[in-house]
Amino acid sequence: MSPTERTIPGPSVNPETKPFWDAAATGKLLVKRCTVCGERHHYPRAICPFCGSDKTEWTEASGRGTVYSYSVFRRAPIPYAIAYVTLAEGPTMMTNIVDCDLDKIRIGQSVRVVFKASEDGPPVPMFTPAA
Amino acid sequence: MSIKNKACIAGVFEHPTRKADTQSLAQLHAESAHGALADAGLTLADVDGYFCAGDAPGLGGLSMADYMGLTLRHVDTTETGGSSYVIHVGHAAEAIALGKCNVALITLAGRPRAEGMATGTAPRNYGSTAPDAAFEYSYGPTVVNQYAMAAMRHMHQYGTTSAQLAWIKVAASQHAQYNPHALLRETVTVEDVVNSPIIADPLHRLDCCVITDGGGSIIVTRPEIAKSLKRPVVNVLGAGEAVKHQRGGKIDLTHTGALWSGPTAFAEAGLRPSDVKYVSIYDSFTITVLITLEDLGFCEKGQGGKLVADGNLISGVGRLPFNTDGGGLCNNHPANRGGLTKVVEAVRQLRGEAHPKVQVKNCDIALAHGTGGSLATRHGSATLIMGRSDA
């Protein structure tokens, strides 16, 4: 039987980002927020990329977002959709759009987070069209 | 302090190979270096500054100085992907203006074809310690699908079409037919491009550059040395560099760092886009050219589709002749890094040594632009403006 889903390489976890992946394992999407300038950012850093403060905290995101851009990689053995999704909380993140008809993905579409098992690491946040 | 007219490009060389089965990587660098030195009428003993980037083997500048037998008092290994070599020309001009070196050698080489590298279609892994790696690699980011997302957004926001992008490849192919070294010499039509297989929506196979082995080299030197040589003098008039990144998640795929590197270079040169007779624009993909031309000010943001359509980039036909060697789309993209060959063709144009069928008349001002990394997210941009000695 040929595989129908792409194998997802596991993300490498380091001390700075471990809380993100620990939360992902429990189905929660975290976003870093700076307590000094108030900006949220992604990918998560210990030091705020907007003001340089080290007073950053983990906040739970709603998991809702909209598709900023996407591309279906037709050339791959198993075609998949890479995308940038803008979270309701502000930051835009790279992701995949999954569990849907890839031909019907559109910019501006509402999506919600789902977590997909990776091959050799924690589950990774992906998005699927919101009902 | 400005670098304007403080340094000249005295020698250029584009390695003629497109598949280097019988040469090593260091050898390709050295063959390119000797080609540019011969073009300039200089020798290895004249070189006292060396510039290379991430494609150089081993310890980069150290390994190549060792292999070639260079005696150096200045070395610069600035790495901004395919834009590195355009930046190197600006940095070499700075070093020469400050008296840090007299003859700067820049080299590039690679053998992705001979090594069977899946250049655009396999996810790139820059190592697990790259801070973005864990938040991107799992999603299968390749060169082509990342550039494709910029194209998709541009189409959505500005109504750019696949046919407009196709005109960029059509223009490149019109030029490549006259280049005996070009990998792809057959002319193509807009229909050929849009009917070629989709690689990553909305980019077709013919929206993508070629994969080639080879290399190239540039010699930058003091004006008084350049004038003592037999080749036409090409002056460095202005240079700009910029790094654009993801701004903590405030991602905007509709523009590149050319929005900043362009005005910097034009201000230094004291020129405007309308003064430029010929442009070499990094063309990893058709979309790269379109967005870059907008950002450099050759048209308003969002109007790039109209600018490139209907043959406007074809030498002798349109108003803005570009990549008259066939560019990365048809001629050559050595080491998957196209910045150096952009400078080489601009120098050929300024010397009046481009193929007669594509030579721009009275080409006194030329611009070369490099892009390295992922378009509009994490990349280096470099703009270089050069002039003929009478410009």
Side-chain angles (χ1 to χ4, degrees), chain A residues 16-82:
Chain A
E16 185 183 13
T17 60
K18 187 170 184 298
F20 180 95
W21 298 112
D22 288 347
T26 68
K28 290 178 181 173
L29 177 64
L30 299 188
V31 169
K32 265 291 181 87
R33 178 182 173 274
C34 175
T35 62
V36 173
C37 73
E39 289 272 8
R40 289 176 171 81
H41 70 261
H42 183 84
Y43 53 91
R45 296 131 163 112
I47 296 170
C48 174
F50 296 105
C51 76
S53 166
D54 62 356
K55 306 287 190 294
T56 56
E57 63 179 12
W58 296 99
T59 63
E60 187 177 343
S62 64
R64 295 191 313 273
T66 56
V67 175
Y68 172 77
S69 193
Y70 71 98
S71 174
V72 178
F73 195 29
R74 309 277 176 188
R75 174 73 161 61
I78 302 168
Y80 60 95
I82 194 168

Side-chain angles (χ1 to χ4, degrees), chain A residues 6 9 11-12 20-21 39 41-44 50 68-75 80 82 84 92 94 96 107 125, chain B residues 121 128 131 134-135 138-141 144 146 148-149 152-153 156 198-201 247-253 377:
Chain A
R6 190 174 65 92
S12 55
F20 180 95
W21 298 112
E39 289 272 8
H41 70 261
H42 183 84
Y43 53 91
F50 296 105
Y68 172 77
S69 193
Y70 71 98
S71 174
V72 178
F73 195 29
R74 309 277 176 188
R75 174 73 161 61
Y80 60 95
I82 194 168
Y84 282 110
T92 299
M94 183 183 283
N96 292 137
I107 288 175
Chain B
T121 51
S128 63
F135 299 90
S138 299
Y139 304 119
V144 61
Q146 293 189 84
M149 283 196 283
M152 191 70 90
R153 185 70 200 184
H156 172 80
I198 291 271
I199 303 296
D201 296 315
R247 296 182 61 224
K250 294 182 193 290
I251 287 173
D252 179 352
L253 294 180
T377 58

Side-chain angles (χ1 to χ4, degrees), chain B residues 205-294:
Chain B
R205 187 163 190 270
L206 296 185
D207 285 300
C208 306
C209 68
V210 300
I211 297 168
T212 50
D213 299 346
S217 178
I218 302 167
I219 307 292
V220 186
T221 188
R222 316 185 70 80
E224 50 273 33
I225 295 173
K227 284 170 193 161
S228 75
L229 303 170
K230 290 185 178 136
R231 308 292 280 128
V233 171
V234 170
N235 290 314
V236 176
L237 301 180
E241 63 189 66
V243 173
K244 189 185 175 214
H245 53 66
Q246 307 186 78
R247 296 182 61 224
K250 294 182 193 290
I251 287 173
D252 179 352
L253 294 180
T254 61
H255 79 88
T256 72
L259 200 59
W260 307 308
S261 66
T264 302
F266 278 114
E268 187 161 49
L271 296 168
R272 296 177 300 175
S274 58
D275 296 316
V276 175
K277 304 282 175 52
Y278 165 80
V279 292
S280 279
I281 305 292
Y282 200 122
D283 54 347
S284 46
F285 300 92
T286 52
I287 186 65
T288 319
V289 176
L290 188 146
I291 295 182
T292 302
L293 287 173
E294 292 178 347

Side-chain angles (χ1 to χ4, degrees), chain B residues 162-171 173-174 187-198 204-207 310:
Chain B
S162 287
Q164 289 172 331
L165 289 175
W167 271 109
I168 297 166
K169 169 73 175 186
V170 170
S173 78
Q174 285 291 326
T187 58
V188 298
T189 64
V190 168
E191 289 69 33
D192 291 334
V193 180
V194 299
N195 290 330
S196 65
I198 291 271
H204 305 79
R205 187 163 190 270
L206 296 185
D207 285 300
D310 303 326

